[in-house]
DNA sequence: CTGAAAGCGCTTACAG
DNA sequence: CTGAAAGCGCTTACAG
């Protein structure tokens, strides 16, 4: 391995000078610079970032703890984080926790030792102890989660308005009996926001019959189960707004298997715009969260925090979209 | 920031001793060890991995250059890589290249400077210059690609046998006129293998009518286009074997939009078992590549190479599965 | 503009 | 079992 010393020796200058031409940090005379550059060229010297990190105390490493990369929304957030990060010279250290608290804590320690300059935590919920440990590391942190705690820098969309608008859309399409299918029995803060959005839309339109079903955590499977309950209840509503796309798809599957047609018999709307929603028949009407942008904006925020800029703290909201597709019927 | 020096001072020992208790590298008397541990506990000292890396010349960093994390198979490979890597103390440095040669070269340099100990290259094809540059870095490399070059450590399934078996399966189901829909106009080595598998199956069953269609690179869209051609040709075949699931789904979409029923009118088989294939109706019959395992096995191989073990070089093949679902009809 | 020296936070022979 | 010292490959005041 060829080091800065070798280059200095070969170019007959001091290592200080070599360092200066590599980093363009101080003036170097043209002749000397040329000589150094030539040696670098010839030897194929490449600076060792580890050594540099040690002295500059800058690792340019960002730790990203995700729940599960297999979820397309997670992958999209990571893509956004990485893309912007790379633009500013930061690299991503990827850690998949599969929602295990112990794993999250382990990785937090790991990332600290690796001198990560900032952290992302992405997942539905994080245990309080994890959040506390993360805070104790004294690094900038940005969260993407459904359960927002105090003093969290958090990027998301306005879930309340999103569900409000979706419900409103169904009402405008002529639906008067709309149920809401909620995720999680222990409700996250975001889930509460969504429910409020649903109820508000009914209220604003002077609709009386609100009804909320709750599915457990194993989304698609449990939703399918719950679907059986809904099937029996089918004369009491014409549309279902779901807390997320996995639930919406699970319910649609169940409906179809039980001879109910979507959207002819029942309309279904999701939330999240996962990739599968476009492949499902009928294509799922849903709310689009710009996950890639969410990641990108989060990274910009984190970089500002690293720089010490006072940045917009707390919640940051991005625009959502209503993806109107074929799982909702217009009633006359 | 609290360093090994602080711990040494507080515990009234030398930094050598502190290092020894941290790393359990040499015997330390019980009393001294206890004293040191106590100080570490109290101060919350955590070793700086950057400093350690510099002296041990071990970064425990693995560079992973992927095409696009949004593709579910890529995410699965990365999950496999990470999971095994973490078991052995390695961390993943994620780099998304979006198949740009320049980006790949940039990241290769970057990973070199960051002292990555090994590399993964995952993507359909890699330019020769990229492969050469990667080799010149003199680090262990494992590839996941559809275009296998010489001297590549490569993990995959036996694509030839996979397509052979799939074609055979269709034949056993009573299909006698089967077309093959190929990816890429410039064929990769793996694509050639697949085509050979298709032709071999026909030959072994004494079927004459082979026919190969070729779609361009933008898979789903182009496949949909090609589907229109197939629709016109529909009396000449009863089943289509596709080079990958994206193509299969694109064609199925096109068939449905043109009033053809899958599998009643035409059977369709894919390759790859992407997640969307389970959401599509009918669910897609396809070949399952164990992407997670592919990543995991690759990481095990890479770790061996890093250790200097002579490992199984060159191609390594994993078992595939025939995912029999509903897009194939049994003909009587 | 240039170089000698100190130092980043560790590990590891070496000597005792 | 323990410590003093050298050194990993860099950057950066400091002095000239």
């Amino acid at each position: 391995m060829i080091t800065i010393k070798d280059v200095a020796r070969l170019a007959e200058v001091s290592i200080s000078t070599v360092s200066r031409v590599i980093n363009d940090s101080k003036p170097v005379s043209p002749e000397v610079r040329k000589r150094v550059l030539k040696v670098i060229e010839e030897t194929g010297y490449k600076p060792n970032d580890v050594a540099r990190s040690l002295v500059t105390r800058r690792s340019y490493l960002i730790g990203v703890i995700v729940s599960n990369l297999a979820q397309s929304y997670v992958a999209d957030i990571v893509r956004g984080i990485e893309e912007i990060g790379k633009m500013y010279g930061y690299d991503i250290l990827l850690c998949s926790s599969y929602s295990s608290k112990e794993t999250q804590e382990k990785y937090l320690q790991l990332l600290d030792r690796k001198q990560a300059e900032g952290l992302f935590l992405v997942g539905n919920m994080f245990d309080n102890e994890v959040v506390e440990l993360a805070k104790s590391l004294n690094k900038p942190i940005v969260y993407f989660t459904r359960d927002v705690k105090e003093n969290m820098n958090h990027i998301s969309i306005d879930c309340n308005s999103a569900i409000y608008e979706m419900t409103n859309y169904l009402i405008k399409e002529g639906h008067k009996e709309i149920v809401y299918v909620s995720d999680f029995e222990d409700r996250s803060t975001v889930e509460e926001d969504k429910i409020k959005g649903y109820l508000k839309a009914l209220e604003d339109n002077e609709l009386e019959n609100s009804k909320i079903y709750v599915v457990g955590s194993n989304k698609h499977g449990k939703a399918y189960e719950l679907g059986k309950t809904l099937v029996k209840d089918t004369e009491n509503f014409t549309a279902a707004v779901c807390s997320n796309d996995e639930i919406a798809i699970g319910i649609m599957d169940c409906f179809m298997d039980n001879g109910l047609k979507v959207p002819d018999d029942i309309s279904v709307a999701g939330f999240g715009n996962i990739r599968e929603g476009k492949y499902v028949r009928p294509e799922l009407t849903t709310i689009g969260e710009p996950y890639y942008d969410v990641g990108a904006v989060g990274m910009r925020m984190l970089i500002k925090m690293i720089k010490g800029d006072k940045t917009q703290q707390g919640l940051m909201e991005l625009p959502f979209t209503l993806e109107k597709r074929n799982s909702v019927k217009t009633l006359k």
Side-chain angles (χ1 to χ4, degrees), chain A:
Chain A
M1 187 185 171
I2 144 126
T3 74
I4 197 171
K5 268 190 204 160
D6 302 315
V7 175
R9 187 170 34 76
L10 262 21
E12 297 178 303
V13 295
S14 71
I15 60 167
S16 318
T17 301
V18 177
S19 174
R20 279 165 199 141
V21 350
I22 296 167
N23 299 300
D24 243 334
S25 50
K26 291 227 171 168
V28 174
S29 74
E31 314 90 274
V32 173
R33 151 165 281 118
K34 224 166 96 181
R35 217 160 68 221
V36 172
L37 255 16
K38 183 149 169 280
V39 173
I40 290 178
E41 172 80 40
E42 288 170 359
T43 56
Y45 166 73
K46 294 204 206 78
N48 180 328
D49 276 352
V50 172
R52 180 179 289 177
S53 275
L54 184 58
V55 29
T56 59
R57 292 149 175 295
R58 301 280 269 124
S59 69
Y60 284 97
L61 249 29
I62 301 294
V64 181
I65 299 183
V66 303
S67 46
N68 187 348
L69 209 56
Q71 297 172 277
S72 61
Y73 90 91
V74 172
D76 285 338
I77 289 177
V78 172
R79 290 196 304 120
I81 290 173
E82 196 212 330
E83 188 80 3
I84 302 301
K86 283 287 191 342
M87 285 177 50
Y88 290 88
Y90 289 90
D91 281 296
I92 268 41
L93 232 31
L94 185 69
C95 299
S96 304
S97 75
Y98 299 100
S99 302
S100 150
K101 183 187 156 198
E102 286 69 32
T103 309
Q104 286 161 1
E105 290 177 338
K106 195 181 86 189
Y107 289 160
L108 244 17
Q109 306 279 12
L110 181 84
L111 292 169
D112 191 28
R113 294 165 48 128
K114 293 255 179 194
Q115 312 301 116
E117 297 188 31
L119 301 175
F120 284 97
L121 282 294
V122 5
N124 268 313
M125 301 182 116
F126 288 99
D127 189 280
N128 247 314
E129 286 184 42
V130 172
V131 174
E132 286 309 315
L133 175 60
K135 275 185 190 161
S136 77
L137 264 24
N138 241 338
K139 299 178 194 292
I141 310 180
V142 172
Y143 293 84
F144 304 113
T145 171
R146 303 264 91 116
D147 191 42
V148 183
K149 300 198 168 64
E150 302 229 355
N151 297 320
M152 253 187 192
N153 297 297
H154 177 259
I155 319 273
S156 174
I157 64 169
D158 179 350
C159 293
N160 181 293
S161 301
I163 290 287
Y164 179 86
E165 288 189 20
M166 177 61 88
T167 310
N168 239 333
Y169 163 65
L170 291 170
I171 295 168
K172 295 282 170 290
E173 293 297 302
H175 294 272
K176 290 189 169 35
E177 285 145 322
I178 303 171
V179 302
Y180 180 80
V181 186
S182 173
D183 199 3
F184 296 122
E185 293 178 328
D186 60 327
R187 290 182 186 163
S188 64
T189 53
V190 169
E191 187 61 28
E192 282 169 23
D193 276 352
K194 289 182 185 175
I195 291 172
K196 281 180 198 156
Y198 160 71
L199 295 174
K200 184 79 172 14
L202 296 189
E203 189 187 323
D204 287 359
N205 289 277
E206 296 172 352
L207 261 29
E208 300 284 309
N209 298 320
S210 74
K211 178 142 195 180
I212 297 172
Y213 293 89
V214 178
V215 312
S217 50
N218 173 4
K219 295 178 181 180
H220 185 274
K222 287 281 173 61
Y224 190 95
E225 285 307 309
L226 181 69
K228 294 177 185 169
T229 310
L230 292 183
V231 168
K232 294 173 194 150
D233 218 20
T234 205
E235 65 275 13
N236 294 322
F237 65 95
T238 61
V241 177
C242 302
S243 174
N244 59 57
D245 287 349
E246 286 87 348
I247 289 179
I249 292 173
I251 284 176
M252 276 168 53
D253 274 355
C254 183
F255 284 176
M256 286 186 219
D257 289 350
N258 287 278
L260 275 178
K261 288 213 171 182
V262 177
D264 294 335
D265 299 326
I266 299 285
S267 293
V268 175
F271 188 115
N273 196 16
I274 64 174
R275 264 186 279 284
E276 289 84 347
K278 277 180 212 151
Y279 287 94
V280 129
R281 289 294 113 92
E283 294 178 42
L284 184 64
T285 290
T286 188
I287 288 154
E289 268 198 81
Y291 292 113
Y292 178 92
D293 295 340
V294 160
V297 168
M299 189 51 152
R300 288 212 177 81
M301 193 188 243
L302 193 75
I303 290 172
K304 278 189 189 161
M305 291 161 75
I306 290 172
K307 281 188 185 151
D309 290 13
K310 39 190 167 301
T311 170
Q312 182 177 352
Q313 295 282 329
L315 182 65
M316 176 147 178
E317 284 177 347
L318 261 33
F320 58 85
T321 54
L322 239 58
E323 304 286 335
K324 298 175 186 173
R325 298 202 280 243
N326 311 320
S327 65
V328 169
K329 188 185 179 188
T330 307
L331 299 183
K332 278 303 105 185

